Amino acid sequence: MTNPFTLGFDKKPFTYIDRTSQTSMILEDITSANPSSQAYILTGVRGVGKTVMMNEIVRRLKDRHDWITIKLNPNRPLFESLAAKLYEEPEIGILFHQAKLNLSLFGLGIDIEQVPPVVSIEIALEKMLLQLQKHQKKVLIAIDEVTKTEDLKAFVSSFQLWISDNLPISLLMTGLYENISLLQNDSSLTFLHRSKKSIYPL
Ligand SMILES: Nc1ncnc2c1ncn2[C@@H]1O[C@H](COP(=O)(O)OP(=O)(O)O)[C@@H](O)[C@H]1O
Ligand SMILES: [Mg+2]
């Protein structure tokens, strides 16, 4: 069966492969009222253009004021990095402060008197996403070159819970076939089989 989103080499590797329509297709789906998926995986061999395409999707989404795009480094703690980067987004950190979210245990914002600090990073992120939902903001997380690490597994399984709670979050990951297969075949992450998108050359 053809998989419309697997990146492959063009027969003429030195010509520019026009991926505009594929990029637009993914963007339209992510931003549609009823996306077919909230998790997208770009896979293909090394050098085929996964990173470039991911960056282009992120760049185009940045123009939309209802979207927040966050790139995460797969080699850094994903939960903490997401919380910190959300907090640092212009005009977003203030929303968490206004909602009296005490994130001081994660080094974010200031300790709010009378309000007990949130103690779990997972709960902190859930509360942050709820707050963003109230303000009609949606988040796209982009992670380049994923491998099956414990942190990524934990992050993706929390992501699965967030989308089942209708929180406004989408995930775009790139990775080599072998690494994506390892992730998808993990018993806790089989839902990724449904959301897998791969990209073929035009
Ligand atoms: N659509 C494209 N057409 C032609 N060259 C491309 C295209 N996309 C990426 N490239 C080039 O191919 C090289 C590898 O791209 P990259 O996105 O880093 O691949 P990957 O992440 O799949 O390993 C880069 O030098 C990039 O400029
Ligand atoms: Mg790459």
Side-chain angles (χ1 to χ4, degrees):
M1 200 186 80
T2 47
N3 212 330
F5 293 101
T6 298
L7 287 175
F9 276 116
D10 192 86
K11 287 198 183 76
K12 294 171 285 177
F14 297 108
T15 53
Y16 183 75
I17 306 161
D18 185 5
R19 297 218 163 92
T20 319
S21 65
Q22 292 164 316
T23 305
S24 301
M25 229 164 78
I26 295 178
L27 266 166
E28 270 169 36
D29 194 48
I30 292 178
T31 56
S32 74
N34 254 324
S36 68
S37 169
Q38 279 167 274
Y40 300 80
I41 299 173
L42 306 180
T43 187
V45 295
R46 201 180 300 282
V48 82
K50 302 180 293 295
T51 301
V52 166
M53 192 168 185
M54 185 196 87
N55 287 338
E56 175 62 12
I57 293 172
V58 169
R59 193 188 63 74
R60 285 178 52 186
L61 216 49
K62 268 197 195 307
D63 296 338
R64 298 186 49 145
H65 81 284
D66 51 339
W67 279 87
I68 301 167
T69 53
I70 306 272
K71 283 190 202 174
L72 295 180
N73 179 342
N75 304 309
R76 304 281 307 156
L78 295 166
F79 291 95
E80 285 79 3
S81 304
L82 176 57
K85 290 192 174 196
L86 280 175
Y87 211 96
E88 281 164 20
E89 278 291 305
E91 294 162 43
I92 297 299
I94 186 81
L95 299 180
F96 305 135
H97 188 75
Q98 284 166 356
K100 295 212 182 333
L101 264 181
N102 187 340
L103 304 170
S104 58
L105 285 186
F106 312 106
L108 304 175
I110 48 163
D111 205 349
I112 305 173
E113 276 175 51
Q114 318 292 332
V115 181
V118 182
V119 292
S120 133
I121 188 73
E122 214 188 339
I123 292 174
L125 281 168
E126 196 180 306
K127 286 177 186 280
M128 290 166 102
L129 289 169
L130 267 170
Q131 200 52 27
L132 293 176
Q133 188 177 45
K134 268 190 201 153
H135 290 84
Q136 285 85 44
K137 299 276 185 198
K138 296 175 195 156
V139 185
L140 176 78
I141 315 240
I143 314 179
D144 198 20
E145 279 288 333
V146 296
T147 54
K148 192 177 127 181
T149 60
E150 286 308 309
D151 200 38
L152 189 86
K153 274 170 58 181
F155 189 79
V156 173
S157 49
S158 291
F159 169 80
Q160 192 176 5
L161 291 178
W162 295 329
I163 55 175
S164 68
D165 285 341
N166 292 317
L167 289 170
I169 190 165
S170 295
L171 181 61
L172 175 63
M173 303 192 287
T174 80
L176 297 172
Y177 291 116
E178 51 270 36
N179 293 329
I180 297 302
S181 296
L182 283 172
L183 262 180
Q184 289 177 317
N185 293 331
D186 188 278
S187 57
S188 62
L189 303 178
T190 50
F191 89 102
L192 283 179
H193 277 294
R194 273 184 282 127
S195 43
K196 181 184 176 183
K197 309 283 176 198
S198 321
I199 295 175
Y200 280 116
L202 291 176

